Amino acid sequence: MNDIFKGKKPAACLAGSDLEKEVLLDIALKLSRGDRFILLMRNTRSLEDRLLPAFMNALLRYSEKSMRSESLQKEVLLFAAGTMNIGKAISNRGIVDPREFVAFASGRALLDTFIRLSHSRITKQYKLSVKWDSAREAAMAGLVGDA
């Protein structure tokens, strides 16, 4: 059986930078290719619990070639936001303030590279885990289409 999660250890942190939001997004975009990505989101109370379930759901879609978006990065955003509408996902979860944002990456080394290139400060390291209520909400977003 092909284990799509094997070797995949996403990482996330709460961070801040003096750079403009657009510059941070440009750095993240340049570092993101295929299943390697950086995703920048606004800090909300429920986001931390949704990150790992969103990643797992998006990775399943990626491996099955059934994503609704053109990148794994955007697919994770859709699941994290609880909607399959990219406009709503960006509006609900997208980075707003570059002085405080969540950086989520497909791997620790990539996250560290982003932090270094963006001159960001890490405020808090997230310990990603699955909380079943959040996992259910993320999975339901993919089933119902637009939660």
Side-chain angles (χ1 to χ4, degrees):
M1 182 173 150
N2 184 11
D3 187 1
I4 62 167
F5 300 109
K6 186 175 183 173
K8 304 279 194 269
K9 293 187 179 179
C13 67
L14 183 61
S17 176
D18 294 329
L19 296 178
E20 304 257 339
K21 175 179 79 169
E22 290 75 18
V23 174
L24 294 174
L25 289 168
D26 187 54
I27 294 168
L29 184 63
K30 287 179 181 172
L31 292 173
S32 299
R33 295 285 178 267
D35 65 351
R36 293 175 33 96
F37 67 89
I38 299 285
L39 180 57
L40 307 180
M41 294 173 278
R42 81 179 61 179
N43 181 29
T44 60
R45 196 178 62 146
S46 64
L47 180 60
E48 183 178 356
D49 293 343
R50 293 182 74 108
L51 291 174
L52 190 56
F55 177 75
M56 293 169 70
N57 279 285
L59 196 57
L60 282 168
R61 291 255 176 120
Y62 179 78
S63 71
E64 295 170 348
K65 296 180 179 21
S66 64
M67 293 193 314
R68 294 188 182 197
S69 64
E70 71 272 4
S71 70
L72 185 57
Q73 176 191 45
K74 287 181 184 170
E75 198 76 6
V76 172
L77 177 61
L78 292 171
F79 279 106
T83 178
M84 291 293 115
N85 179 302
I86 193 65
K88 285 183 182 179
I90 291 169
S91 178
N92 293 341
R93 295 287 184 180
I95 181 176
V96 174
D97 186 354
R99 294 169 296 169
E100 182 180 86
F101 61 92
V102 173
F104 180 73
S106 56
R108 179 83 237 173
L110 189 59
L111 180 60
D112 291 342
T113 299
F114 171 80
I115 294 297
R116 181 177 47 78
L117 292 176
S118 66
H119 307 287
S120 294
R121 301 165 301 284
I122 296 176
T123 306
K124 177 184 176 185
Q125 292 284 345
Y126 289 149
K127 294 183 181 186
L128 300 176
S129 63
V130 174
K131 294 198 172 64
W132 293 110
D133 285 346
S134 299
R136 182 181 54 78
E137 290 171 13
M140 288 302 292
L143 293 175
V144 298
D146 190 18

